[in-house]
Amino acid sequence: MIVKVLEVREYLRELYSQYDVYMIAVLKFLFTCIVLVSINSNIGYMPMLNNPLIVLGIGLLCSFLPVGIISFVVSISILMHFSVVSMELVITTLIALIAMYCLYFILKTQNSIVMVITLLACLYQMPGAIIVIIGLIFTPVAAIPAGFGVILYTIIMIAKKDVGTIFSTNSSLDVLGKISYFFQNLGNNKTMLLLIGVFILIISFVYVVRRMNINYAWSFAIGAGSVAYILLILIGSFVLNISVNILLVVGSVLIGSVFSLILYLFVFSLDYTRIEHVQFEDDDYYYFVKAVPKITVTTPEKKVKRINTRKIVHEDQKNEKE
């Protein structure tokens, strides 16, 4: 069974090496369309953006552009939806986005796609499905764009909840009152604060564990990170008096664990039964090296059975003469 899985892995690797440009373009197209459809289903205030042709067109455009452009497209889409409801909502959201992007460029992180992935996971109430994967792929700095994704999700939820009361034209609050209300609710949102703290801790924890010099480090990181996420969510929700759906939390973690194991199989599968320890020296140092070979298999070659038609025809003619 394991050999078959590894053969499939090698086949997919060869397929990706041949058609990586097209596969990446298709993945960016599908991902952009899924994110835009998810946003439209929550705050689809602008009818034009809800048009499937517009969504497909934007997705097609993003498939040819760098992956970092997707985060800007998502931000612009949110602002356009809010512009139909209230300019105060646009201003407050724009201020929050500018603050996030300024911090993003100052720190020079290159993982803006993490923000969009986190936003998408939060929209489907499953942040636990991606948190361990982020720690496996990226460095702890990725917790910053992940936190931005949580903030952007909270902004959408606040706007969705109060769009008919606070941000409508019939509201008794003035412009400054609406802006103050928005930022007050954003800063006092306990769920957002809990998720941001958990993302920072779990991503850093998973990164440290999978970098440790121990056998099956990635496996330990996946298991320990998943359990730690559930414990932190439960403890944090109890301390902050937040109601959580424990079945949804555990379910999202199980989904994330499955995807993490698939990632582990394709990226970091090692054969710990054949560890080698090498020692050598130069004029200044002694070197002790631990070498762990990767698990590799060769894809089976296709066997083609050739039939010599000339020989068969010659034998048939010989039989007829006899």
Side-chain angles (χ1 to χ4, degrees), residues 2-259:
I2 297 178
V3 176
K4 290 294 183 182
V5 173
L6 294 176
E7 289 178 356
V8 172
R9 183 194 68 177
E10 294 301 322
Y11 172 76
L12 293 177
R13 281 182 174 179
E14 293 177 2
L15 188 66
Y16 178 78
S17 63
Q18 295 177 4
Y19 306 102
D20 57 338
V21 176
Y22 306 103
M23 294 176 69
I24 291 174
V26 171
L27 289 175
K28 287 192 291 186
F29 169 77
L30 294 175
F31 179 72
T32 304
C33 291
I34 292 173
V35 174
L36 292 178
V37 169
S38 302
I39 293 174
N40 294 341
S41 63
N42 282 275
I43 52 170
Y45 304 130
M46 180 172 283
M48 181 183 70
L49 295 181
N50 296 327
N51 190 328
L53 294 178
I54 298 297
V55 173
L56 293 176
I58 296 174
L60 185 63
L61 179 63
C62 290
S63 65
F64 295 100
L65 297 175
V67 68
I69 299 297
I70 298 177
S71 61
F72 290 98
V73 171
V74 169
S75 302
I76 294 172
S77 174
I78 293 172
L79 291 174
M80 292 180 67
H81 280 300
F82 287 166
S83 66
V84 178
V85 180
S86 170
M87 287 307 298
E88 293 86 358
L89 185 56
V90 174
I91 293 172
T92 51
T93 306
L94 184 60
I95 293 173
L97 287 173
I98 290 175
M100 288 191 295
Y101 281 116
C102 285
L103 180 61
Y104 174 81
F105 286 117
I106 289 173
L107 295 174
K108 297 181 179 180
T109 55
Q110 304 298 322
N111 309 320
S112 62
I113 192 63
V114 175
M115 182 184 76
V116 185
I117 295 174
T118 305
L119 171 62
L120 183 64
C122 290
L123 287 174
Y124 287 98
Q125 306 298 314
M126 292 194 301
I130 62 164
I131 188 169
V132 173
I133 298 176
I134 294 174
L136 292 175
I137 299 177
F138 302 99
T139 64
V141 180
I144 297 173
F148 291 166
V150 175
I151 295 173
L152 200 56
Y153 162 75
T154 307
I155 291 173
I156 292 174
M157 291 298 104
I158 293 175
K160 183 179 179 180
K161 176 183 176 182
D162 299 325
V163 68
T165 56
I166 303 301
F167 297 105
S168 64
T169 55
N170 298 325
S171 176
S172 59
L173 295 176
D174 57 4
V175 176
L176 293 178
K178 292 178 181 180
I179 294 176
S180 176
Y181 172 85
F182 179 86
F183 283 108
Q184 184 178 1
N185 277 267
L186 185 64
N188 295 332
N189 192 291
K190 295 180 180 179
T191 304
M192 181 190 74
L193 298 176
L194 175 61
L195 282 177
I196 292 176
V198 170
F199 265 91
I200 294 173
L201 292 175
I202 297 300
I203 291 175
S204 302
F205 174 71
V206 171
Y207 174 80
V208 170
V209 174
R210 62 106 168 168
R211 295 277 295 177
M212 293 177 64
N213 185 19
I214 58 175
N215 295 350
Y216 305 100
W218 274 52
S219 300
F220 282 119
I222 295 171
S226 301
V227 173
Y229 172 78
I230 296 175
L231 292 177
L232 286 177
I233 289 294
L234 293 178
I235 295 173
S237 62
F238 177 78
V239 173
L240 298 176
N241 194 20
I242 303 172
S243 60
V244 296
N245 189 336
I246 185 61
L247 293 179
L248 197 59
V249 172
V250 175
S252 66
V253 169
L254 292 177
I255 294 174
S257 299
V258 172
F259 282 106

